[in-house]
Amino acid sequence: MSKTGTVNIQIVTGDARPIFKQIVDGIRMQIAHGDLQTGDKLPSVRGLAMQLTINANTVAKAYAELTAQGLAEARQGLGLFVAEPRQLLSEEEKNKRLNTAIETFVNDVVYLQIPEEDIKARLSEALTKIGRLKNTPKQDS
Amino acid sequence: MQNCIETNGLTKKFGKKTALKDFDLTVELGGIHAIVGSNGAGKSTLFRLLLGVTTPTSGSAMLLGNDCQSLTPDVRGRVGYVNEEHTLPAWMTAGSVKKFQQSFYPQWNENIYKSVVGYFDVDPKQKVSGLSRGERAGLNLAMALAQSPNLLILDEPTLGLDVVARQSFLEAVMFTETEGNTTIIYCSHQMEEIERVADKLIIMEKGVLQNNSSPDAFVSRISYWIADFGGKMPAREKIPGFLSARDIDGIHHVMVADQDKSFGSVLTQLGATAVTPNTVNLERAVNAFLTKNHNTPGSINAGSQG
Amino acid sequence: MFELYKSEFSRYRKWSLILLGALLGVFLLVSKLKPILEGDALQNFAFTAFAVMGGLIFGVVQMLLHKRTNNWTYLVHRPLSAHKIYAAIAGAGFTVVFIAVALPWWIMTTSLDLFTNNVVDNRHYVYPLFLLLTSYITYLIGSLVILNPNKGVIALLIMLYAVLAPAPDSTLTQFLPSLAFVGVFLYLNFMSFKPDLSTHTKKPLAIILMAVPMSLGLAFLLMLSTAVFYHIPLFILDKHPDNHPVKGSYSYLWAEVTPAKRLAYALEGSDHPKAAYFIKQVELADEGYISPDHWTFPRRGQMYNKDRQFALRDSTSNTSWQFSHDSMLLEGRNVTTRQRVGVVGMNGFLDSADLATSADRFDEVPFMVGDKLLATTKVIYSVNFADRVLTVKFKPEAGEYFISRPQPNTKPDYASVATNKRTLIFDKAEFFDENILVVPEYSLPHPVDPANITYCWTFQLVDGYLFLCHGRDYFGFGRGGTELIHAKLGGTMEMIARREYTVRKLPSWVNNFNDIVSPAATYLSAPVLRWIEPAETGNFTFTELRAREFEPYIYVLMIMFQIFSVIAAFLMARRHSLNKAQTATWLVLTAALSLPALVAFFLMNPWRVEKADS
């Protein structure tokens, strides 16, 4: 029996990101941090819409995006569940996203004047940590 | 498929003033369609034309497939309308107004009425004139939804409501499931509300339809560029899709519509150095659209503008 | 629909009940001061004004409250047809008018009938119906003013004249016009009540029903407009004939301030040998007036407010005698105890109404004169309350009947009364004070149709009376004239002089301006008013109207205005792109009603022609 995961995200209106994007990002972050785990049931579209006071169609759109990215999978008649981590994105898309992420990251850290070695070390430490979390999923309760 | 609203070349003039010009709007069945526009953009005129209380100068308007000029009682029974004042018989009690309203609508759904009015603290024995603005709005919405309309037009329904009432109102609008599978037209000045509720965003400006798409698609039409023209910006006519520009510390911030990434090189050709693209949120995108033809002082080359 | 009616009524329920209570309070107050069913002028004016203004204001306010943009959408946008919505609103309006205007009267009248000894006839129950209809007519005009984009509908208020002014001849003429107006105005309101109020009525029938009564009002306004372009300018230039009487005109009679000079003016050109003698005599004579013109006699069942006198009062026996239209008897009450003290029938006093046979009952409603006279069109009685005797005072010959009421005159003292054939003069004291059969001292056959005589001046001479009769239409329409008659002691009559005044004080086009701008307006209104009140001879019948003769250029003007109106209406109809039926309607209307219908056209069509850009 899978538990219904608690989606703990905040919607900000007036943000440059559309609301559905904010939901996608938020849930992806929660999955990355392990707050949501593989097999957890995501709230119903209506439930999350009510929680966030937004149009249900927006939630549906976000869920569709999560499904497209392979982060969630629909089970017939049961709802949407956090999926086994797998990659649905093409190599090209992956490269593109990586480039964007690196660009942003570099932009943010370049003025900090921290030695390059330290940055690399910290980066690799963070990647290891996330990798460990993802590779040792908790048991379903 | 039949459209919920369809106008063709709809034009309305009041004397020499044109309130609505060649308005072609199609609203499909289902979903929440937000209408934004500054005051005087023609929203009220549009609603009055749709409800048949004003006659178009030319063109036509259809509501649920019926000519708005000759709406039958049956069609009127399927279209709810809530205005910003929440006009109700102020001399009656909330309970008797509900009974009164109910008598006109055989498809009245008491469960919906109860669930919506439950959001608000409406005492049925209280006279409508004695209700708070929020209670009055809630009562009005509860009755409008209980009528199970196919189309519900909400004209700035949350105007003057406090945060709590506004929240309840939005929830009731979005999460009440009616039998009529209600299409909602939601007119508001509150971008925050629009962003939360809208499936489709209809933008009107000076009586002309400017946009009818999803809010996301609309935002993606707008791009925001920061360019250094060395202090002197070229004439706005030369900038394609120009919406607005501001001069901030000698650097020009330009908002344009329907331009792709190559717009950077357009700016460069016009003499700009250091061109940076930027993102924009819904509110700014809408504002840029609504103010584009307004000759606001200092929209170009004004040192500081709020 | 019923729910909407209930809702609308509940909006005004409190106010209508307050008015109901207030009116009952007023009745209580008034009844302390005077009999409430005594129709004196002030009371009549007050309640008529309340009904008229109350209805008008309520109609305007009720619709204005609905007309505000949001309220209007709220009212109209519901699953009910516009007709049903208006029916509910107008029904609620009727209920409010009923409660606030008519119901208090019915409550009061019923209470008087049940709990007091007052004379309460069926006719007293009819009066509230009159108030109700009158008030509802103005209510309907009020709401029409708001609902119809044509603000000229306020001119429909002129129709009230036909409701308020005449003393109707029968219950039919009393209520038929009111009911017709209610019907027409209701119809116009129904036609005007549509989701978009700014659009004008397009139905030919609605156009006609609105344009025709409006045109009558507009014709009246157009007639008044002579003040603007004739009277006022001439007054300003100090050239107005009112200030500079025109010698040789009929109205110059009043420029001559002394009776002798007036007589001299009437005798101008006369070769009567005694002309100078009469002028000299009149210098010292007393001057009196007699009007032989038709007077409206009371009719059975007339509303109480048309009564000229409430009761005959006898101070010696402390009794008051009211005429009951139900029993057709004069019923007596002790003023203090309100006890019945008998009745007076055609054959004299009876102890109780129960003893009256049909022969005792009056065959027409007598009117009261002074303290003791009762008069019908056939007999004048005098009542002696002390001896309880009814005396026949005077009875004209067979085939003769009174057309005026007895008129007392002072300086010299005489009493006069006109029959359909002659004017009679009696000794005043004998006539008014003594309970005897009287014989006229003088009897003057009408020199012309009494309807043409405005009145006659009388001058007492040593050997009889001089009558100087005059009238604006003395010798026929527009032919002002005077006639001097010498009535000698002993009964002989001599016509001394007749004079027709051919010089006009005002130019004909000013005098007949209403006929010039719309000949049909007069034809539509005067005969109807005459039908309602036949004794009002100032309103010409159709035949009398046709017999009128104008100066030739007046006819030319009439035709020119008519042709101009038709052409202008045709061009305007083209400009407004009216359809064939509408255009035809307007052409017929302007052809029939001339200028007022053209003005109505401008009021009933948008001022600005709106065309969409191509």
Side-chain angles (χ1 to χ4, degrees):
Chain A
M1 191 61 203
S2 63
K3 72 174 172 88
T4 298
T6 316
V7 172
N8 187 18
I9 54 175
Q10 297 299 321
I11 292 303
V12 187
T13 57
D15 195 277
R17 287 179 304 163
I19 291 177
F20 93 90
K21 197 85 173 57
Q22 293 182 39
I23 297 171
V24 171
D25 289 355
I27 290 178
R28 196 164 58 199
M29 189 67 82
Q30 278 194 287
I31 292 172
H33 283 170
D35 298 340
L36 288 169
Q37 302 196 346
T38 306
D40 280 359
K41 186 176 184 297
L42 289 174
S44 69
V45 168
R46 195 176 149 77
L48 186 59
M50 287 177 86
Q51 181 191 328
L52 302 174
T53 326
I54 54 169
N55 191 326
N57 291 336
T58 310
V59 176
K61 192 171 171 188
Y63 278 10
E65 174 73 14
L66 286 168
T67 313
Q69 291 186 11
L71 290 165
E73 60 187 7
R75 291 183 198 159
Q76 194 65 44
L78 294 173
L80 200 67
F81 295 83
V82 177
E84 285 286 349
R86 64 200 155 98
Q87 202 43 265
L88 291 179
L89 296 177
S90 66
E91 283 302 317
E92 192 190 355
E93 179 66 20
K94 274 198 287 187
N95 254 324
K96 199 176 133 201
R97 289 191 182 212
L98 183 60
N99 282 340
T100 315
I102 291 172
E103 216 170 274
T104 315
F105 178 74
V106 171
N107 256 330
D108 284 351
V109 298
V110 73
Y111 74 99
L112 297 175
Q113 294 181 326
I114 296 171
E116 201 180 315
E117 284 68 34
D118 290 4
I119 293 172
K120 282 179 177 164
R122 293 279 291 279
L123 184 61
S124 118
E125 191 183 322
L127 286 170
T128 319
K129 198 173 157 196
I130 281 197
R132 193 174 63 232
L133 281 172
K134 291 193 93 170
N135 293 334
T136 55
K138 288 174 190 162
Q139 290 299 311
D140 286 353
S141 48
Chain B
M1 198 185 82
Q2 181 199 69
N3 285 316
C4 187
I5 294 174
E6 199 175 323
T7 72
N8 286 305
L10 192 62
T11 301
K12 178 66 185 177
K13 291 181 180 181
F14 296 104
K16 284 182 179 156
K17 194 173 160 284
T18 304
L20 219 56
K21 197 177 176 194
D22 279 335
F23 206 79
D24 293 323
L25 173 70
T26 304
V27 173
E28 288 160 6
L29 283 172
I32 302 178
H33 304 254
I35 297 191
V36 294
S38 40
N39 293 325
K43 290 174 296 180
S44 309
T45 306
L46 176 65
F47 291 147
R48 289 170 61 73
L49 284 164
L50 289 176
L51 295 173
V53 294
T54 296
T55 311
T57 309
S58 63
S60 68
M62 308 274 271
L63 213 54
L64 301 170
N66 298 273
D67 184 354
C68 293
Q69 282 308 291
S70 49
L71 294 177
T72 59
D74 172 57
V75 178
R76 289 196 184 276
R78 286 157 56 205
V79 177
Y81 175 69
V82 166
N83 64 42
E84 79 283 3
E85 283 180 348
H86 298 284
T87 309
L88 290 170
W91 58 93
M92 292 167 85
T93 63
S96 52
V97 167
K98 178 234 156 190
K99 268 196 210 118
F100 166 61
Q101 201 72 4
Q102 188 176 0
S103 72
F104 295 106
Y105 297 90
Q107 73 274 31
W108 181 273
N109 186 320
E110 186 68 16
N111 290 333
I112 290 180
Y113 174 77
K114 281 189 180 143
S115 77
V116 175
V117 90
Y119 281 103
F120 306 87
D121 190 22
V122 180
D123 174 7
K125 291 198 183 73
Q126 178 88 36
K127 279 241 174 90
V128 169
S129 54
L131 295 177
S132 73
R133 223 186 147 85
E135 290 164 356
R136 191 169 166 149
L139 173 65
N140 203 13
L141 181 70
M143 295 195 300
L145 287 168
Q147 292 160 17
S148 310
N150 298 133
L151 169 65
L152 177 57
I153 299 175
L154 303 169
D155 188 1
E156 296 185 39
T158 56
L159 195 74
L161 261 54
D162 61 42
V163 183
V164 180
R166 183 185 298 257
Q167 172 86 8
S168 306
F169 196 94
L170 288 185
E171 283 182 22
V173 168
M174 285 189 290
F175 306 119
T176 304
E177 298 203 344
T178 62
E179 287 154 26
N181 196 16
T182 310
T183 308
I184 293 175
I185 304 290
Y186 193 97
C187 175
S188 177
H189 285 300
Q190 301 290 326
M191 277 307 146
E192 187 213 321
E193 286 178 10
I194 302 279
E195 211 177 333
R196 286 180 185 276
V197 306
D199 288 307
K200 283 283 175 63
L201 181 65
I202 296 162
I203 300 178
M204 298 175 67
E205 194 247 331
K206 289 193 171 174
V208 177
L209 182 65
Q210 297 286 1
N211 185 74
N212 184 9
S213 67
S214 76
D216 301 342
F218 170 69
V219 172
S220 66
R221 282 178 65 191
I222 312 296
S223 50
Y224 184 72
W225 299 79
I226 302 172
D228 187 351
F229 288 106
K232 181 146 174 44
M233 211 186 86
R236 57 165 77 173
E237 293 77 30
K238 290 189 179 162
I239 301 173
F242 179 87
L243 291 175
S244 71
R246 284 198 298 174
D247 177 345
I248 301 175
D249 297 335
I251 309 289
H252 285 91
H253 296 234
V254 185
M255 197 103 68
V256 289
D258 307 316
Q259 303 300 320
D260 58 18
K261 291 216 163 116
S262 63
F263 184 71
S265 54
V266 174
L267 287 177
T268 317
Q269 275 167 25
L270 286 168
T273 54
V275 175
T276 323
N278 220 314
T279 52
V280 67
N281 68 20
L282 181 69
E283 180 160 11
R284 293 194 69 179
V286 169
N287 284 347
F289 238 93
L290 295 185
T291 53
K292 75 168 173 179
N293 289 330
H294 295 213
N295 288 319
T296 43
S299 62
I300 298 172
N301 289 340
S304 62
Q305 192 216 323
Chain C
M1 186 173 104
F2 184 61
E3 290 294 324
L4 185 59
Y5 162 83
K6 272 198 334 202
S7 158
E8 181 71 9
F9 172 60
S10 71
R11 185 177 200 171
Y12 300 101
R13 186 176 46 210
K14 192 169 80 189
W15 287 108
S16 49
L17 291 175
I18 287 174
L19 278 175
L20 170 77
L23 269 183
L24 289 175
V26 168
F27 293 150
L28 215 63
L29 205 69
V30 171
S31 63
K32 300 274 178 217
L33 305 172
K34 64 177 259 304
I36 188 85
L37 291 180
E38 179 180 353
D40 64 300
L42 177 68
Q43 175 169 323
N44 189 22
F45 172 79
F47 288 112
T48 310
F50 171 70
V52 167
M53 293 313 293
L56 187 66
I57 291 168
F58 174 52
V60 167
V61 168
Q62 187 195 20
M63 283 305 162
L64 268 185
L65 287 175
H66 282 303
K67 206 192 177 184
R68 265 194 63 243
T69 310
N70 279 337
N71 301 30
W72 183 251
T73 315
Y74 175 76
L75 178 67
V76 171
H77 183 69
R78 59 181 70 236
L80 269 188
S81 69
H83 285 353
K84 282 185 177 169
I85 295 173
Y86 179 71
I89 301 290
F94 183 82
T95 314
V96 170
V97 171
F98 175 83
I99 291 177
V101 175
L103 191 58
W105 276 93
W106 269 312
I107 292 176
M108 182 265 288
T109 310
T110 313
S111 317
L112 285 180
D113 200 358
L114 292 177
F115 307 118
T116 71
N117 217 349
N118 285 292
V119 173
V120 179
D121 293 334
N122 290 336
R123 67 193 187 115
H124 292 113
Y125 290 96
V126 168
Y127 178 68
L129 182 64
F130 157 78
L131 283 183
L132 175 65
L133 286 173
T134 308
S135 197
Y136 200 56
I137 286 172
T138 57
Y139 163 83
L140 290 172
I141 294 176
S143 59
L144 195 60
V145 166
I146 303 302
L147 290 177
N148 201 283
N150 154 25
K151 294 305 164 221
V153 293
I154 195 78
L156 294 177
L157 280 176
I158 195 98
M159 293 295 113
L160 277 183
Y161 183 84
V163 175
L164 298 180
D169 187 40
S170 68
T171 312
L172 181 77
T173 55
Q174 171 80 67
F175 289 115
L176 194 66
S178 298
L179 288 171
F181 293 145
V182 167
V184 169
F185 296 158
L186 261 179
Y187 172 78
L188 292 178
N189 272 295
F190 270 110
M191 288 300 116
S192 307
F193 193 94
K194 41 196 168 354
D196 184 0
L197 288 179
S198 66
T199 54
H200 286 263
T201 319
K202 293 192 173 68
K203 272 191 148 183
L205 179 62
I207 291 174
I208 290 169
L209 286 178
M210 183 175 286
V212 172
M214 242 175 72
S215 293
L216 298 183
L218 293 169
F220 179 67
L221 292 176
L222 284 169
M223 190 186 79
L224 294 183
S225 72
T226 53
V228 177
F229 52 80
Y230 179 80
H231 296 291
I232 294 173
L234 285 194
F235 274 122
I236 291 170
L237 296 171
D238 196 24
K239 287 194 173 150
H240 197 278
D242 277 5
N243 296 340
H244 304 275
V246 185
K247 213 151 189 236
S249 73
Y250 167 66
S251 56
Y252 193 79
L253 274 175
W254 284 268
E256 299 291 14
V257 280
T258 67
K261 280 188 175 173
R262 196 176 301 144
L263 200 70
Y265 182 62
L267 281 168
E268 257 180 31
S270 163
D271 51 3
H272 196 276
K274 287 171 83 181
Y277 163 76
F278 286 128
I279 294 168
K280 194 123 192 88
Q281 286 282 300
V282 161
E283 268 174 25
L284 301 166
D286 286 328
E287 186 185 41
Y289 310 88
I290 295 173
S291 169
D293 197 3
H294 295 262
W295 187 70
T296 304
F297 285 79
R299 71 169 170 88
R300 188 174 185 185
Q302 76 176 7
M303 294 191 306
Y304 91 97
N305 64 330
K306 301 285 182 193
D307 294 355
R308 303 278 177 152
Q309 191 171 327
F310 182 61
L312 291 179
R313 284 192 181 82
D314 181 47
S315 46
T316 4
S317 60
N318 191 30
T319 51
S320 160
W321 299 76
Q322 268 175 274
F323 192 80
S324 160
H325 288 228
D326 285 0
S327 69
M328 290 303 267
L329 296 166
L330 191 68
E331 300 189 354
R333 303 275 193 286
N334 183 296
V335 174
T336 323
T337 63
R338 303 302 303 153
Q339 290 303 303
R340 292 169 200 270
V341 291
V343 298
V344 178
M346 268 203 333
N347 300 319
F349 279 78
L350 293 166
D351 287 336
S352 150
D354 302 332
L355 303 171
T357 64
S358 54
D360 288 320
R361 299 181 199 280
F362 281 87
D363 50 6
E364 55 183 289
V365 176
F367 62 96
M368 302 161 184
V369 186
D371 293 332
K372 56 196 309 187
L373 293 196
L374 278 183
T376 68
T377 59
K378 288 176 230 141
V379 193
I380 298 172
Y381 302 92
S382 85
V383 196
N384 181 346
F385 292 106
D387 302 334
R388 291 172 82 90
V389 176
L390 181 74
T391 318
V392 172
K393 169 135 285 186
F394 183 76
K395 209 171 174 172
E397 295 160 5
E400 198 179 12
Y401 54 87
F402 299 114
I403 60 165
S404 85
R405 55 176 162 172
Q407 302 159 42
N409 192 66
T410 37
K411 288 176 113 186
D413 276 334
Y414 62 78
S416 72
V417 64
T419 71
N420 55 331
K421 293 185 173 152
R422 53 198 171 131
T423 302
L424 304 162
I425 291 189
F426 300 91
D427 179 89
K428 190 178 179 185
E430 272 187 6
F431 192 85
F432 284 105
D433 298 334
E434 293 173 33
N435 298 310
I436 52 166
L437 185 76
V438 292
V439 181
E441 292 181 337
Y442 299 93
S443 155
L444 173 76
H446 297 308
V448 292
D449 183 343
N452 292 359
I453 303 174
T454 307
Y455 59 88
C456 304
W457 282 292
T458 63
F459 306 101
Q460 194 172 28
L461 307 179
V462 284
D463 57 345
Y465 280 96
L466 267 186
F467 289 85
L468 180 58
C469 297
H470 64 90
R472 184 174 295 277
D473 302 324
Y474 198 85
F475 296 111
F477 177 72
R479 297 171 60 195
T482 48
E483 181 159 3
L484 189 67
I485 299 153
H486 186 201
K488 293 171 195 164
L489 272 176
T492 53
M493 295 285 150
E494 188 194 353
M495 203 277 287
I496 309 293
R498 297 183 124 189
R499 179 168 181 200
E500 183 179 342
Y501 301 94
T502 45
V503 179
R504 304 256 179 273
K505 171 188 154 195
L506 295 171
S508 283
W509 67 267
V510 176
N511 250 343
N512 304 304
F513 196 72
N514 54 336
D515 288 290
I516 293 172
V517 295
S518 179
T522 319
Y523 276 85
L524 272 178
S525 50
V528 174
L529 291 171
R530 181 68 171 272
W531 170 71
I532 297 174
E533 186 177 4
E536 190 53 64
T537 51
N539 294 317
F540 290 164
T541 61
F542 194 71
T543 326
E544 286 164 354
L545 286 172
R546 291 220 15 212
R548 295 178 306 167
E549 274 177 34
F550 298 100
E551 284 177 53
Y553 84 95
I554 298 293
Y555 294 104
V556 175
L557 284 175
M558 281 179 186
I559 293 165
M560 275 170 53
F561 271 115
Q562 210 130 358
I563 292 173
F564 166 77
S565 302
V566 173
I567 293 174
F570 180 68
L571 293 177
M572 291 308 294
R574 291 256 313 250
R575 205 168 104 80
H576 281 86
S577 347
L578 298 188
N579 65 32
K580 268 187 189 158
Q582 284 169 274
T583 309
T585 307
W586 280 112
L587 292 185
V588 169
L589 281 171
T590 45
L593 287 159
S594 193
L595 210 53
L598 182 64
V599 178
F601 180 96
F602 284 107
L603 289 167
M604 289 172 64
N605 287 282
W607 189 246
R608 193 198 302 273
V609 181
E610 284 188 5
K611 285 205 175 91
D613 290 342
S614 49

